[in-house]
Amino acid sequence: MKFSSAYSTNGTGSLTIISAEGHGIVSKDDLKITGGTYDITAAGHALSGKDSVRIADGTFILTAEKDGIHAENADDEEKGYIYIADGDFTITSDGDGMDASNIVQIEDGTFDITAGGGAANSLKTHESDVPGGGMPQNGERPDGESMPQMGEKPDGENMPQDTTTDESGTSTKGIKAGGGMYLNGGTYQIDSADDSIHSNANITIADGTYTLATGDDGVHADDALIVNGGTITVTESYEGLEGLTVTINDGTIDITASDDGINTAGEKMELNGGYIHILAGGDGVDSNGDLTINGGEIYIDGPSDNGNSAIDYGDRSSAYVNGGTLVAIGSSGMAEVMSDSSKQKVLMVKLGEQMEAGNVVLTDSEGNVIVSYTALKTYDCVIISTAEVESGATYTLTTSGTTTEVTAE
């Protein structure tokens, strides 16, 4: 169905469209939908608006040989955006699940997206290996930065293109924005051959529940990635979270990655709150710049090989632990110490031999348990920092039945 100007659909009816040659519903200006049920199968995009696609509510079953929802205006960079207030979306696309040339903003809704056949169908190749259960309740949420208004383009320079290529030449991301992306709520199940959530600018996640499986990055921002809340579970990825800078203020995050768990592209990473667990084949956390931990609970099962480490920040940068709980377990070959300028004491123990996966327990001189964690992989290095670790005190670290005495300097 083609419309030469803005098009709106209202009401609670149902519409079934099979487009064997073109798009399902397309508008040359704004496409607005306030409700109803839509079952669309299209050889092109299922829903397409040049200036914008705006959806207030509705039920959408979209099958597309290109993008599920597409907004692109090559003539006006301030247009070409997707705004969704609510709705129930099941999207199966050969291309991107959603793609906007400018901003994507989502307030709420339920999204089940399969893009490019899913992670199992990924054609991504990586030019080089980049160096590098139950969850406790989170603490109080720190104040986050205010969100830009709809249509406002965030500042920031784009970082270089990532080092991955897709042999098919087709973009197969779950949700993609050429400009900023603002995810303020909703429930997301995304299985994508390429990045599950991707922006060429900034991404801010304020709330929502995300379950992501991807052939590349779970969440990728070319500029700043900011997480102020929500629950993010990356079940399969090359890298879990990636941005030019990464700031995590709150939320519950669980990442499984074949390479780095959280990666920044050379500027800084700040972890200020929330709960984070990382199971990584490469570096658990790789800041490629200054790493600052001010709060939250961070548990890292890093690499077992000596080519990577649980925490990596590079020779020209520093890592500071000023608060929170940090337990990082991995290999000792490239393990880096925390800065002496940290406000909180950090214990780093190189064990001299590989320990089997199992319980890691730190106790004080009176036998009180300071930290108890179950390592998921073999390891020979343990890094622990909590507010209870005091300078000059001696502690006992128990790993796979072996005890080691360590004193906080």
Side-chain angles (χ1 to χ4, degrees):
M1 300 176 67
K2 296 183 179 180
F3 301 92
S4 60
S5 59
Y7 175 71
S8 299
T9 67
N10 304 297
T12 58
S14 298
L15 180 63
T16 299
I17 296 174
I18 298 176
S19 177
E21 296 183 0
H23 305 317
I25 299 177
V26 57
S27 172
K28 292 185 177 180
D29 292 312
D30 299 302
L31 174 58
K32 304 175 185 178
I33 300 174
T34 63
T37 299
Y38 304 83
D39 188 341
I40 300 174
T41 301
H45 308 311
L47 299 177
S48 181
K50 181 178 179 181
D51 290 349
S52 70
V53 176
R54 313 181 200 187
I55 298 174
D57 202 354
T59 299
F60 302 84
I61 302 170
L62 308 178
T63 304
E65 293 183 20
K66 291 186 177 180
D67 300 337
I69 302 175
H70 182 91
E72 180 179 11
N73 189 319
D75 302 320
D76 187 344
E77 65 178 12
E78 296 300 321
K79 296 181 180 179
Y81 63 86
I82 294 173
Y83 174 81
I84 296 175
D86 205 349
D88 191 334
F89 299 80
T90 301
I91 301 174
T92 303
S93 61
D94 292 347
D96 300 317
M98 300 185 198
D99 177 18
S101 61
N102 191 11
I103 286 173
V104 171
Q105 181 168 333
I106 300 176
E107 302 297 333
D108 203 354
T110 300
F111 303 86
D112 187 341
I113 300 173
T114 302
N121 199 43
S122 176
L123 297 176
K124 292 296 256 187
T125 58
H126 300 269
E127 294 178 5
S128 63
D129 290 335
V130 178
M135 299 183 177
Q137 295 297 315
N138 296 327
E140 234 175 68
R141 178 183 297 180
D143 292 335
E145 297 181 4
S146 60
M147 301 279 288
Q149 295 298 313
M150 179 63 196
E152 182 180 346
K153 195 169 186 176
D155 295 330
E157 297 179 358
N158 290 342
M159 70 179 185
Q161 295 295 316
D162 61 29
T163 59
T164 60
T165 58
D166 186 337
E167 295 173 356
S168 72
T170 299
S171 180
T172 54
K173 297 174 173 65
I175 304 174
K176 182 175 74 175
M181 186 181 302
Y182 309 98
L183 304 177
N184 300 328
T187 300
Y188 303 78
Q189 182 90 31
I190 302 178
D191 187 3
S192 56
D194 200 348
D195 300 343
S196 287
I197 296 172
H198 175 101
S199 170
N200 293 345
N202 301 327
I203 295 176
T204 300
I205 298 176
D207 202 354
T209 300
Y210 306 80
T211 304
L212 312 176
T214 169
D216 200 14
D217 300 338
V219 182
H220 174 100
D222 278 5
D223 293 330
L225 170 58
I226 301 171
V227 180
N228 292 325
T231 299
I232 302 172
T233 303
V234 182
T235 61
E236 179 182 356
S237 67
Y238 180 70
E239 293 184 333
L241 307 183
E242 182 176 50
L244 182 62
T245 64
V246 174
T247 304
I248 298 176
N249 295 316
D250 200 359
T252 301
I253 300 170
D254 196 340
I255 295 170
T256 299
S258 61
D259 195 58
D260 299 345
I262 304 176
N263 180 66
T264 55
E267 289 206 1
K268 66 176 183 176
M269 184 186 304
E270 289 188 9
L271 308 178
N272 299 318
Y275 174 96
I276 301 170
H277 174 255
I278 297 170
L279 176 62
D283 298 323
V285 167
D286 187 358
S287 62
N288 290 303
D290 285 349
L291 168 66
T292 304
I293 300 172
N294 293 318
E297 296 181 63
I298 303 160
Y299 302 94
I300 301 172
D301 284 283
S304 300
D305 67 274
N306 284 323
N308 296 282
S309 57
I311 297 175
D312 183 10
Y313 52 85
D315 296 336
R316 299 180 181 180
S317 305
S318 298
Y320 307 91
V321 183
N322 300 323
T325 297
L326 170 66
V327 179
I329 296 170
S331 60
S332 61
M334 295 184 66
E336 297 178 314
V337 298
M338 303 295 111
S339 172
D340 291 337
S341 300
S342 296
K343 296 178 181 178
Q344 188 166 279
K345 292 299 177 182
V346 183
L347 302 174
M348 186 170 80
V349 182
K350 295 184 178 181
L351 299 167
E353 62 178 318
Q354 285 282 319
M355 298 293 170
E356 296 298 321
N359 292 334
V360 177
V361 180
L362 183 71
T363 54
D364 64 16
S365 59
E366 297 180 355
N368 299 311
V369 175
I370 305 299
V371 166
S372 180
Y373 181 70
T374 302
L376 301 180
K377 304 167 68 174
T378 58
Y379 61 95
D380 64 358
C381 183
V382 177
I383 300 172
I384 293 176
S385 180
T386 76
E388 296 175 78
V389 174
E390 299 178 354
S391 179
T394 299
Y395 300 89
T396 300
L397 180 67
T398 303
T399 54
S400 300
T402 299
T403 59
T404 304
E405 297 296 316
V406 55
T407 300
E409 300 296 336

